[in-house]
Amino acid sequence: SRRGLIKRGKTVCTFCGTGCSFEVWVRGREVLKVEPRPESPVNGLGTCVKGKFGYSFVNSNERLTKPLIRQGHEFREASWEEALDLVARKLREIRDKYGPDSVGVIASCTSTNEEVYLTQKFARQVIGTNNVDNCARYCQSPATTGLLRTVGYGADSGSIHDMECADLLILIGTNTAEAHPVIASRIKRAKKHGNLRLVVVDVRMHEMAERADLFLTPRVGTDLVLINGVARYILERGWEDRKFVEERTENFQEYVKSLEPYNLQYVEEVTGIPKEKIITLAEMIHESRNVAVAWAMGVTQHQDGSETSTAISNLLLLTGNYGRPCCGAFPLRGHANVQGAGDVGGLPNFLPGYQSLNDPEVIKKFEEAWGIKLPRKPGLTSTEMVDKTLTGELKAMYIIGEDKVMADADQGRVREALSKLEFLVVQDLFLTETAKLAHVILPACSSLEKEGTFTNTERRIQRLYRVLDPLPGCKTDMEILQELAKLMGFNWDYSGPEEVMREISRLSPIHAGVTYQRLENFGSLQWPVTEDGQDSPYLYRDRFPFPDGRARFYPTTLIEPRSTGEKYDLYLVNGRLLEHFHWTNQTGRTPLKRKVPETFLEVSPQLAKERGWREGDVVLVESPVGRLRTRILITGRVSGNRVFLSIHGQGDSAVNLVTEDIRDPTSKTPAYKEVPVRVEKL
Ligand code: SF4
């Protein structure tokens, strides 16, 4: 045609951890259509609306196309040369003046594995600090903690298929139909056509809850008590898998002892779930040969997120539901590449492949490969970086693809912190709220404009091909990092992402056999991958990755959730909607914006009646740290003193205006889901 040739290329969706892949048809820069292919290992011929209609943001005229340098309260355009020189100079100055640990680096979960690997290498080799983290800190770090404690790998123990072929699937704190829509479709299909029974544990009625054989609504923040209560009941009845426990686990007696307080009476009192239903859940587990449990932010974004994740894994060990197909643990990853970002070392306490900072052999390997003395002290988490900025210990941050002002709890606090930095570099597609606070902004490429790999929630590594040329003026994260490393005295000379992947597979045993050739087109591999290319659809068949090969029961600690009181008398529950991704920086610049243009507060008919609220009323939602504005939506999806708001609001309806900075003490993940508020009609 006169308007140019139509081209198509394969990519992996950037909007959630399901990891759908498809071909994208383009003409020039125009995205014509998204076409899933039968050979896609995850989604076959399906996608959700985000994958299908969520890509026109790549041509938004609000894309950043020139580096920007702060001048007073304004920004001025600059050349790449000037901007990168300034970044290199300032980072070097601050590192030399205050030490390497005065710098923090945030890796992006929408960057490729290769780019995140280079991000953490930049932090560790070029700056000399372990202060590197990624957005798993906001979501699934507690799940990783729970699984590392008990079974040894912080990842899904099986594949999405194992949730389909289980006899019983328990979904806890996951609104799967909106947050991981293609996984939800697969579960719904399996339930309709197979033997799958479904239990949903959630504080809000949603599509999966409507389809459940058993739906339980515990009080906010009491999942741990429910799970331990079920475990204790199973033990009382002698329904545990004795053989599995004896042959494959440690610490059983300590675990049994830790369950003593969780009798049915106590569990009913704390959770508000009648004893009979607790018994029904235990019976359903007992009757099922294969049990899988999937969970998401409804579990992890609590003060006891790590503890509850541990309790889930303990329950699976107790009932022998690890180490074979059709069962296991499935913490559903939120971002496209949040699993991969941790796998390749974007974490303050692990080197690539979850290798320990305390293992002399590992240290030696990396020191030889990178030609430096590795920093040994574990770094700061993303949330701790905010604390240390406020105390003046952290002086500079380099933030890639993360809108931290919108993502952290207590927006006012994070704004104050980032404003105090001596130097802030932000690398992103748009002038985000975080970018507005930066000293230098670097315009980056979208996932359609680069090559590399993503790893989805089931540890599946897949290739992205360059579908569009970079928007003129933008560079990929890899190009930017490579140029900065060179300017700071390190001769990074990778010919492309494939060479980076070769380095990853040399240094990270779980990636040993990952090659671009094996991943060609719709090919994929689930880690750990042995050198000869054998991958792992499920883990722990023969051994758990502890020195003695045995899993560990890990007794949990009870942490009281935040309770409502006289002033803040309602519980704000929050989460995703199908149509949007985060604070709509991307989906808000697509036709999806029109589908859900603004946020609304879901309240029950009874609450609306009591308070005299009508649909569409504008209300203020207030917590001890701030207030936001939104509109009332009356719905049967919430009940009691719970109200629900999506996380997608911007401006004065952003949810993190009211989320307090209270954290899970182990993973440092904010307890976004424990927010007592008051609501007032305007
Ligand atoms: Fe993309 Fe997730 Fe939707 Fe698949 S389910 S198309 S990965 S947003």
Side-chain angles (χ1 to χ4, degrees), residues 130-177:
N130 285 311
N131 288 347
V132 57
D133 204 6
N134 73 77
C135 78
R137 193 65 51 199
Y138 302 129
C139 54
Q140 284 286 21
S141 290
T144 304
T145 304
L147 294 173
L148 285 173
R149 281 171 172 175
T150 49
V151 287
Y153 281 129
D156 285 15
S157 68
S159 305
I160 296 166
H161 175 66
D162 295 318
M163 288 186 264
E164 294 171 299
C165 64
D167 303 313
L168 179 67
L169 173 63
I170 306 173
L171 299 177
I172 310 181
T174 152
N175 178 6
T176 325

Short mmCIF file of all heavy atoms in Angstrom, two decimals, residues 130-177:
data_model
loop_
_atom_site.label_atom_id
_atom_site.label_comp_id
_atom_site.label_asym_id
_atom_site.label_seq_id
_atom_site.Cartn_x
_atom_site.Cartn_y
_atom_site.Cartn_z
N ASN A 130 25.01 -2.93 46.69
CA ASN A 130 23.89 -3.88 46.50
C ASN A 130 22.54 -3.18 46.62
O ASN A 130 21.51 -3.84 46.69
CB ASN A 130 23.99 -5.01 47.53
CG ASN A 130 25.09 -6.00 47.18
OD1 ASN A 130 25.18 -6.46 46.03
ND2 ASN A 130 25.93 -6.32 48.15
N ASN A 131 22.55 -1.86 46.66
CA ASN A 131 21.29 -1.11 46.73
C ASN A 131 20.58 -1.17 45.38
O ASN A 131 20.55 -0.20 44.62
CB ASN A 131 21.54 0.36 47.06
CG ASN A 131 21.95 0.56 48.50
OD1 ASN A 131 21.82 -0.35 49.32
ND2 ASN A 131 22.47 1.74 48.81
N VAL A 132 20.02 -2.33 45.07
CA VAL A 132 19.25 -2.46 43.83
C VAL A 132 18.02 -3.30 44.13
O VAL A 132 18.08 -4.29 44.84
CB VAL A 132 20.11 -3.07 42.69
CG1 VAL A 132 20.68 -4.43 43.06
CG2 VAL A 132 19.31 -3.16 41.38
N ASP A 133 16.88 -2.84 43.65
CA ASP A 133 15.64 -3.55 43.95
C ASP A 133 14.69 -3.38 42.77
O ASP A 133 14.97 -2.62 41.83
CB ASP A 133 15.02 -3.00 45.24
CG ASP A 133 14.10 -4.00 45.94
OD1 ASP A 133 14.03 -5.16 45.49
OD2 ASP A 133 13.47 -3.62 46.93
N ASN A 134 13.57 -4.08 42.83
CA ASN A 134 12.58 -3.95 41.74
C ASN A 134 11.19 -3.97 42.35
O ASN A 134 11.03 -4.13 43.55
CB ASN A 134 12.78 -5.06 40.71
CG ASN A 134 12.32 -6.41 41.21
OD1 ASN A 134 11.13 -6.67 41.24
ND2 ASN A 134 13.24 -7.26 41.65
N CYS A 135 10.17 -3.84 41.51
CA CYS A 135 8.83 -3.63 42.05
C CYS A 135 8.21 -4.87 42.67
O CYS A 135 7.11 -4.80 43.19
CB CYS A 135 7.91 -3.02 41.00
SG CYS A 135 7.34 -4.23 39.83
N ALA A 136 8.90 -6.01 42.66
CA ALA A 136 8.40 -7.16 43.42
C ALA A 136 8.26 -6.75 44.89
O ALA A 136 7.47 -7.33 45.63
CB ALA A 136 9.35 -8.33 43.30
N ARG A 137 9.03 -5.74 45.30
CA ARG A 137 8.96 -5.27 46.68
C ARG A 137 7.56 -4.78 47.02
O ARG A 137 7.14 -4.80 48.17
CB ARG A 137 9.98 -4.13 46.88
CG ARG A 137 10.25 -3.74 48.29
CD ARG A 137 10.90 -4.83 49.08
NE ARG A 137 12.06 -5.37 48.39
CZ ARG A 137 12.60 -6.55 48.67
NH1 ARG A 137 12.08 -7.31 49.60
NH2 ARG A 137 13.65 -6.98 48.00
N TYR A 138 6.83 -4.29 46.03
CA TYR A 138 5.48 -3.80 46.29
C TYR A 138 4.46 -4.95 46.27
O TYR A 138 3.33 -4.76 46.65
CB TYR A 138 5.04 -2.80 45.23
CG TYR A 138 5.94 -1.60 45.09
CD1 TYR A 138 6.41 -1.23 43.84
CD2 TYR A 138 6.30 -0.84 46.19
CE1 TYR A 138 7.23 -0.12 43.69
CE2 TYR A 138 7.12 0.25 46.06
CZ TYR A 138 7.58 0.62 44.81
OH TYR A 138 8.39 1.70 44.66
N CYS A 139 4.86 -6.10 45.71
CA CYS A 139 3.82 -7.11 45.55
C CYS A 139 4.22 -8.49 46.05
O CYS A 139 3.76 -8.90 47.10
CB CYS A 139 3.33 -7.16 44.11
SG CYS A 139 4.59 -7.39 42.86
N GLN A 140 5.10 -9.19 45.34
CA GLN A 140 5.25 -10.60 45.66
C GLN A 140 6.49 -10.96 46.49
O GLN A 140 6.75 -12.15 46.68
CB GLN A 140 5.23 -11.43 44.36
CG GLN A 140 3.83 -11.59 43.76
CD GLN A 140 2.96 -12.57 44.54
OE1 GLN A 140 3.19 -12.85 45.70
NE2 GLN A 140 1.92 -13.08 43.88
N SER A 141 7.22 -10.00 46.98
CA SER A 141 8.37 -10.35 47.83
C SER A 141 7.96 -11.21 49.04
O SER A 141 8.69 -12.13 49.41
CB SER A 141 9.08 -9.09 48.33
OG SER A 141 9.74 -8.48 47.27
N PRO A 142 6.80 -10.93 49.66
CA PRO A 142 6.42 -11.79 50.79
C PRO A 142 6.22 -13.25 50.36
O PRO A 142 6.57 -14.18 51.11
CB PRO A 142 5.10 -11.18 51.27
CG PRO A 142 5.18 -9.75 50.83
CD PRO A 142 5.88 -9.79 49.52
N ALA A 143 5.69 -13.46 49.17
CA ALA A 143 5.50 -14.84 48.69
C ALA A 143 6.86 -15.50 48.48
O ALA A 143 7.08 -16.66 48.83
CB ALA A 143 4.69 -14.84 47.39
N THR A 144 7.78 -14.72 47.90
CA THR A 144 9.13 -15.25 47.70
C THR A 144 9.73 -15.65 49.04
O THR A 144 10.31 -16.73 49.18
CB THR A 144 10.01 -14.17 47.02
OG1 THR A 144 9.36 -13.78 45.81
CG2 THR A 144 11.39 -14.69 46.71
N THR A 145 9.55 -14.79 50.05
CA THR A 145 10.08 -15.09 51.38
C THR A 145 9.49 -16.40 51.91
O THR A 145 10.22 -17.29 52.37
CB THR A 145 9.72 -13.95 52.37
OG1 THR A 145 10.21 -12.73 51.84
CG2 THR A 145 10.29 -14.18 53.75
N GLY A 146 8.16 -16.53 51.82
CA GLY A 146 7.50 -17.72 52.34
C GLY A 146 7.98 -18.99 51.66
O GLY A 146 8.16 -20.04 52.30
N LEU A 147 8.20 -18.90 50.36
CA LEU A 147 8.63 -20.10 49.62
C LEU A 147 10.11 -20.39 49.83
O LEU A 147 10.51 -21.55 49.96
CB LEU A 147 8.31 -19.93 48.13
CG LEU A 147 6.81 -19.87 47.82
CD1 LEU A 147 6.57 -19.53 46.36
CD2 LEU A 147 6.13 -21.19 48.17
N LEU A 148 10.93 -19.34 49.90
CA LEU A 148 12.36 -19.58 50.16
C LEU A 148 12.55 -20.25 51.52
O LEU A 148 13.38 -21.13 51.67
CB LEU A 148 13.14 -18.25 50.11
CG LEU A 148 13.39 -17.65 48.74
CD1 LEU A 148 14.01 -16.26 48.86
CD2 LEU A 148 14.30 -18.53 47.88
N ARG A 149 11.74 -19.85 52.49
CA ARG A 149 11.87 -20.45 53.82
C ARG A 149 11.54 -21.95 53.81
O ARG A 149 12.13 -22.72 54.55
CB ARG A 149 10.82 -19.81 54.76
CG ARG A 149 11.18 -18.46 55.30
CD ARG A 149 9.94 -17.91 56.01
NE ARG A 149 10.24 -16.69 56.73
CZ ARG A 149 9.31 -15.97 57.34
NH1 ARG A 149 8.04 -16.36 57.32
NH2 ARG A 149 9.64 -14.88 57.98
N THR A 150 10.56 -22.30 53.01
CA THR A 150 9.99 -23.65 53.15
C THR A 150 10.43 -24.63 52.07
O THR A 150 10.74 -25.78 52.36
CB THR A 150 8.45 -23.56 53.13
OG1 THR A 150 8.07 -22.76 51.99
CG2 THR A 150 7.90 -22.94 54.39
N VAL A 151 10.44 -24.15 50.81
CA VAL A 151 10.73 -25.10 49.73
C VAL A 151 11.97 -24.74 48.91
O VAL A 151 12.43 -25.54 48.10
CB VAL A 151 9.51 -25.29 48.80
CG1 VAL A 151 8.45 -26.12 49.50
CG2 VAL A 151 8.91 -23.97 48.34
N GLY A 152 12.50 -23.53 49.08
CA GLY A 152 13.83 -23.26 48.53
C GLY A 152 13.89 -22.42 47.27
O GLY A 152 14.91 -21.80 47.01
N TYR A 153 12.85 -22.40 46.46
CA TYR A 153 12.80 -21.49 45.32
C TYR A 153 11.64 -20.51 45.53
O TYR A 153 10.53 -20.94 45.84
CB TYR A 153 12.54 -22.21 43.99
CG TYR A 153 13.74 -22.91 43.38
CD1 TYR A 153 13.65 -24.24 42.99
CD2 TYR A 153 14.94 -22.24 43.15
CE1 TYR A 153 14.73 -24.89 42.40
CE2 TYR A 153 16.02 -22.88 42.57
CZ TYR A 153 15.92 -24.20 42.20
OH TYR A 153 16.98 -24.83 41.62
N GLY A 154 11.91 -19.22 45.29
CA GLY A 154 10.86 -18.22 45.48
C GLY A 154 10.03 -18.04 44.23
O GLY A 154 9.99 -16.95 43.67
N ALA A 155 9.38 -19.10 43.78
CA ALA A 155 8.66 -19.01 42.50
C ALA A 155 7.54 -20.04 42.47
O ALA A 155 7.48 -20.94 43.32
CB ALA A 155 9.64 -19.28 41.36
N ASP A 156 6.67 -19.92 41.45
CA ASP A 156 5.62 -20.92 41.26
C ASP A 156 6.27 -22.31 41.22
O ASP A 156 7.25 -22.51 40.51
CB ASP A 156 4.90 -20.70 39.91
CG ASP A 156 3.94 -19.52 39.95
OD1 ASP A 156 4.03 -18.70 40.88
OD2 ASP A 156 3.11 -19.41 39.02
N SER A 157 5.68 -23.26 41.93
CA SER A 157 6.31 -24.59 41.96
C SER A 157 5.98 -25.39 40.70
O SER A 157 6.64 -26.38 40.42
CB SER A 157 5.86 -25.36 43.20
OG SER A 157 4.49 -25.66 43.10
N GLY A 158 4.96 -24.95 39.97
CA GLY A 158 4.59 -25.68 38.76
C GLY A 158 4.24 -24.73 37.64
O GLY A 158 4.71 -23.59 37.62
N SER A 159 3.43 -25.21 36.72
CA SER A 159 3.02 -24.42 35.56
C SER A 159 1.54 -24.06 35.70
O SER A 159 0.82 -24.68 36.48
CB SER A 159 3.17 -25.24 34.28
OG SER A 159 4.48 -25.72 34.18
N ILE A 160 1.13 -23.10 34.88
CA ILE A 160 -0.29 -22.72 34.91
C ILE A 160 -1.16 -23.97 34.67
O ILE A 160 -2.21 -24.14 35.27
CB ILE A 160 -0.57 -21.64 33.84
CG1 ILE A 160 0.20 -20.36 34.20
CG2 ILE A 160 -2.07 -21.34 33.73
CD1 ILE A 160 0.29 -19.33 33.08
N HIS A 161 -0.65 -24.86 33.84
CA HIS A 161 -1.40 -26.09 33.55
C HIS A 161 -1.68 -26.89 34.83
O HIS A 161 -2.71 -27.57 34.92
CB HIS A 161 -0.63 -26.95 32.54
CG HIS A 161 -1.29 -28.27 32.30
ND1 HIS A 161 -2.52 -28.36 31.67
CD2 HIS A 161 -0.94 -29.52 32.63
CE1 HIS A 161 -2.88 -29.63 31.62
NE2 HIS A 161 -1.94 -30.36 32.19
N ASP A 162 -0.78 -26.82 35.79
CA ASP A 162 -0.99 -27.59 37.03
C ASP A 162 -2.17 -27.07 37.84
O ASP A 162 -2.75 -27.81 38.63
CB ASP A 162 0.30 -27.59 37.86
CG ASP A 162 1.42 -28.33 37.15
OD1 ASP A 162 1.14 -29.40 36.57
OD2 ASP A 162 2.55 -27.83 37.12
N MET A 163 -2.51 -25.80 37.63
CA MET A 163 -3.73 -25.29 38.29
C MET A 163 -4.97 -25.84 37.59
O MET A 163 -6.01 -26.03 38.21
CB MET A 163 -3.74 -23.76 38.27
CG MET A 163 -2.75 -23.13 39.20
SD MET A 163 -2.94 -21.33 39.25
CE MET A 163 -1.72 -20.83 38.09
N GLU A 164 -4.84 -26.06 36.29
CA GLU A 164 -5.99 -26.60 35.54
C GLU A 164 -6.24 -28.07 35.86
O GLU A 164 -7.38 -28.52 35.93
CB GLU A 164 -5.73 -26.49 34.03
CG GLU A 164 -5.65 -25.09 33.49
CD GLU A 164 -5.19 -25.09 32.04
OE1 GLU A 164 -4.08 -25.56 31.74
OE2 GLU A 164 -5.95 -24.61 31.19
N CYS A 165 -5.16 -28.84 36.02
CA CYS A 165 -5.35 -30.29 36.19
C CYS A 165 -5.45 -30.70 37.66
O CYS A 165 -5.58 -31.87 37.98
CB CYS A 165 -4.28 -31.08 35.45
SG CYS A 165 -2.61 -30.82 36.07
N ALA A 166 -5.37 -29.71 38.59
CA ALA A 166 -5.54 -30.04 40.01
C ALA A 166 -6.98 -30.53 40.25
O ALA A 166 -7.89 -30.27 39.47
CB ALA A 166 -5.27 -28.81 40.86
N ASP A 167 -7.18 -31.26 41.35
CA ASP A 167 -8.55 -31.61 41.75
C ASP A 167 -9.19 -30.45 42.50
O ASP A 167 -10.39 -30.25 42.45
CB ASP A 167 -8.54 -32.83 42.68
CG ASP A 167 -7.86 -34.01 42.04
OD1 ASP A 167 -8.18 -34.29 40.87
OD2 ASP A 167 -6.98 -34.62 42.68
N LEU A 168 -8.34 -29.73 43.22
CA LEU A 168 -8.84 -28.60 44.00
C LEU A 168 -7.88 -27.43 43.84
O LEU A 168 -6.67 -27.57 44.03
CB LEU A 168 -8.90 -28.99 45.50
CG LEU A 168 -9.39 -27.89 46.45
CD1 LEU A 168 -10.86 -27.58 46.21
CD2 LEU A 168 -9.19 -28.33 47.91
N LEU A 169 -8.44 -26.29 43.46
CA LEU A 169 -7.63 -25.07 43.37
C LEU A 169 -8.18 -24.07 44.38
O LEU A 169 -9.38 -23.78 44.39
CB LEU A 169 -7.71 -24.49 41.95
CG LEU A 169 -7.04 -23.12 41.75
CD1 LEU A 169 -5.54 -23.18 42.00
CD2 LEU A 169 -7.31 -22.60 40.32
N ILE A 170 -7.30 -23.57 45.23
CA ILE A 170 -7.71 -22.57 46.23
C ILE A 170 -7.10 -21.23 45.83
O ILE A 170 -5.88 -21.12 45.71
CB ILE A 170 -7.21 -22.98 47.64
CG1 ILE A 170 -7.68 -24.40 47.97
CG2 ILE A 170 -7.70 -21.99 48.69
CD1 ILE A 170 -7.11 -24.95 49.28
N LEU A 171 -7.95 -20.26 45.57
CA LEU A 171 -7.48 -18.91 45.21
C LEU A 171 -7.63 -18.04 46.46
O LEU A 171 -8.73 -17.85 46.96
CB LEU A 171 -8.33 -18.32 44.08
CG LEU A 171 -8.36 -19.07 42.75
CD1 LEU A 171 -9.32 -18.38 41.78
CD2 LEU A 171 -6.97 -19.14 42.13
N ILE A 172 -6.51 -17.50 46.92
CA ILE A 172 -6.57 -16.65 48.13
C ILE A 172 -6.09 -15.25 47.76
O ILE A 172 -4.96 -15.09 47.27
CB ILE A 172 -5.68 -17.21 49.26
CG1 ILE A 172 -5.96 -18.70 49.47
CG2 ILE A 172 -5.92 -16.44 50.56
CD1 ILE A 172 -5.13 -19.32 50.58
N GLY A 173 -6.94 -14.26 47.99
CA GLY A 173 -6.52 -12.87 47.76
C GLY A 173 -6.07 -12.62 46.34
O GLY A 173 -5.13 -11.86 46.12
N THR A 174 -6.72 -13.25 45.39
CA THR A 174 -6.42 -12.96 43.98
C THR A 174 -7.72 -12.77 43.20
O THR A 174 -8.55 -13.68 43.17
CB THR A 174 -5.56 -14.04 43.30
OG1 THR A 174 -5.85 -14.05 41.88
CG2 THR A 174 -5.80 -15.43 43.81
N ASN A 175 -7.85 -11.60 42.60
CA ASN A 175 -8.98 -11.32 41.72
C ASN A 175 -8.52 -11.71 40.31
O ASN A 175 -8.30 -10.87 39.45
CB ASN A 175 -9.33 -9.84 41.82
CG ASN A 175 -10.46 -9.43 40.91
OD1 ASN A 175 -11.08 -10.27 40.27
ND2 ASN A 175 -10.70 -8.13 40.83
N THR A 176 -8.37 -13.00 40.12
CA THR A 176 -7.67 -13.51 38.93
C THR A 176 -8.32 -13.05 37.63
O THR A 176 -7.62 -12.78 36.65
CB THR A 176 -7.65 -15.06 38.98
OG1 THR A 176 -7.52 -15.47 40.34
CG2 THR A 176 -6.49 -15.62 38.18
N ALA A 177 -9.65 -12.97 37.62
CA ALA A 177 -10.33 -12.64 36.36
C ALA A 177 -9.97 -11.24 35.87
O ALA A 177 -10.03 -10.98 34.67
CB ALA A 177 -11.85 -12.77 36.53
#
